[in-house]
Amino acid sequence: MQIDMKKLIWSVIFVLGIAYTDCYADDIPDRPSPPRLVNDFANILGREEVMNLEKKLLDFNNQTSTQIAIVIVNDLHGYDRAEFTYRLAEKWGVGQKGKDNGIVVMVKPKTPSSAGQAFIATGYGLEAVVPDALAKRIVELEMIPAFKENNYYAGLDSATNVLISLTKGEYTAEEYANRKSAEDRSSAVAAIIFFVIFFFIFFIRVRRARQHSIGRGIPFWIAMSMLGSTRRSSGSSFGSFTSGGGGFGGFGGGSFGGGGAGGSW
C-alpha cells in the first residue's frame, strides 16, 4: 500500500498540535468556584483589599452587566502576557454571551528572577470603547507606576476606576487622554509649588527656633524633624468598604477577539 507522505506529515503535525494545546490548556487556571471577579492566585493583596475590589466590580456588574475580572498569577507557563490573558478570558467566558462585554485585567507580579507583566484584554463588544492604545495607556499610567512601588492594590484600583468610567460613558478615550495630560501638567506645577512652600516653611521654622534657642542655632536634623512632624499629621489612607449585597453569580460566556494591550516592569 502506497503511503502519501505529505498527508502523513500533516496528520502528525495536527495530532502533535492538539496534544501541545491540550497540555498547555491545563496551565490556564480553571474558572473559580464559587465564582469571583477578583482572583489573586499569587496572594499579593490583603483580605480587605480583595473585598474592596470585589465589591466595586460586583456593583458595576449588577448595574451594567459588564464584567471586569482581575486575575493575578505567579506564572504565565511559557505564554506571552497577551496569549495567556486571551486564553483565560475565553476559558472563563468573562462578559455576557452575545454582548461580549468582558474585560480581564491580568497581572503577573515581578520577582527576583522575572519581570512583572500586566495585560488588559477587552471583549469584542468593548474594543471600540477601550481601544488598544487606551488599554496600553491605562497599563502604563495607572498600573505600572504603582506596581513599581509594590502597591498592587493602588494600581488595580486606579485602572478599574478608569475602565468603569470609560465603559459607563462618563468620558471618552480622547477625554481620558486629555485629562491625563492635564493631570501631568498640574502635577509638575504642584511639585514646584510644594517645594517653594516647603523651603519657605523650613526657613521660617529654623529662624523661629534660633530666636528661642539659648544663643546657638539648632542642628539641621532637628529642624527637619520639626517640619516632618507637621507633615505626618496629614497622611491619607484607602477608604474602607464592606461586602454587602448578593454574591457574584458567575461569568456569562463572553468572547474575546484580540483587543487589548499590556506592559512590563
Side-chain angles (χ1 to χ4, degrees), residues 141-154:
L141 298 182
E142 309 291 345
M143 297 171 69
I144 290 180
F147 294 170
K148 286 181 177 179
E149 300 296 325
N150 207 33
N151 193 342
Y152 288 92
Y153 173 76

Side-chain angles (χ1 to χ4, degrees), residues 19-242:
Y20 178 84
T21 301
D22 289 343
C23 177
Y24 274 81
D26 292 337
D27 292 330
I28 303 298
D30 291 329
R31 184 186 302 182
S33 180
R36 298 180 300 274
L37 288 164
V38 181
N39 301 271
D40 180 13
F41 299 112
N43 296 316
I44 63 170
L45 298 176
R47 181 175 179 274
E48 186 176 357
E49 293 173 338
V50 171
M51 291 174 60
N52 291 347
L53 291 169
E54 182 76 24
K55 182 182 184 303
K56 176 175 66 173
L57 299 182
L58 177 58
D59 289 344
F60 179 58
N61 169 74
N62 293 340
Q63 293 166 9
T64 67
S65 82
T66 298
Q67 297 179 337
I68 300 176
I70 293 174
V71 183
I72 307 171
V73 297
N74 282 317
D75 193 349
L76 300 183
H77 300 287
Y79 294 110
D80 64 38
R81 58 184 177 240
E83 185 179 7
F84 181 90
T85 310
Y86 293 140
R87 285 178 176 268
L88 183 142
E90 284 284 341
K91 183 176 181 179
W92 288 16
V94 181
Q96 305 301 326
K97 188 175 183 179
K99 293 184 178 181
D100 301 324
N101 55 346
I103 296 176
V104 174
V105 180
M106 188 283 298
V107 175
K108 201 287 293 179
K110 184 175 183 178
T111 68
S113 60
S114 64
Q117 302 287 345
F119 196 86
I120 296 176
T122 54
Y124 278 116
L126 295 176
E127 289 180 0
V129 179
V130 186
D132 295 356
L134 186 58
K136 187 170 184 62
R137 192 175 180 87
I138 294 171
V139 171
E140 292 179 344
L141 298 182
E142 309 291 345
M143 297 171 69
I144 290 180
F147 294 170
K148 286 181 177 179
E149 300 296 325
N150 207 33
N151 193 342
Y152 288 92
Y153 173 76
L156 290 167
D157 187 50
S158 181
T160 49
N161 284 341
V162 173
L163 291 169
I164 288 172
S165 294
L166 286 167
T167 53
K168 276 186 172 182
E170 294 178 358
Y171 48 76
T172 65
E174 183 178 358
E175 289 170 340
Y176 168 72
N178 292 337
R179 188 191 69 162
K180 288 303 294 183
S181 297
E183 286 178 357
D184 292 341
R185 291 192 296 270
S186 298
S187 297
V189 172
I192 294 172
I193 293 173
F194 170 78
F195 283 112
V196 170
I197 294 175
F198 175 85
F199 285 110
F200 176 77
I201 294 175
F202 170 73
F203 284 116
I204 290 296
R205 292 183 70 90
V206 169
R207 184 176 179 180
R208 287 180 179 175
R210 285 177 175 173
Q211 289 174 349
H212 291 85
S213 66
I214 56 175
R216 295 181 299 175
I218 61 174
F220 176 78
W221 66 271
I222 295 180
M224 289 297 290
S225 66
M226 291 168 62
L227 181 60
S229 65
T230 62
R231 294 177 60 204
R232 283 193 294 270
S233 63
S234 60
S236 61
S237 61
F238 291 116
S240 179
F241 297 91
T242 58

Side-chain angles (χ1 to χ4, degrees), residues 7-24:
K7 286 185 178 180
L8 178 61
I9 291 173
W10 278 111
S11 296
V12 172
I13 292 174
F14 178 74
V15 171
L16 290 176
I18 292 176
Y20 178 84
T21 301
D22 289 343
C23 177
Y24 274 81

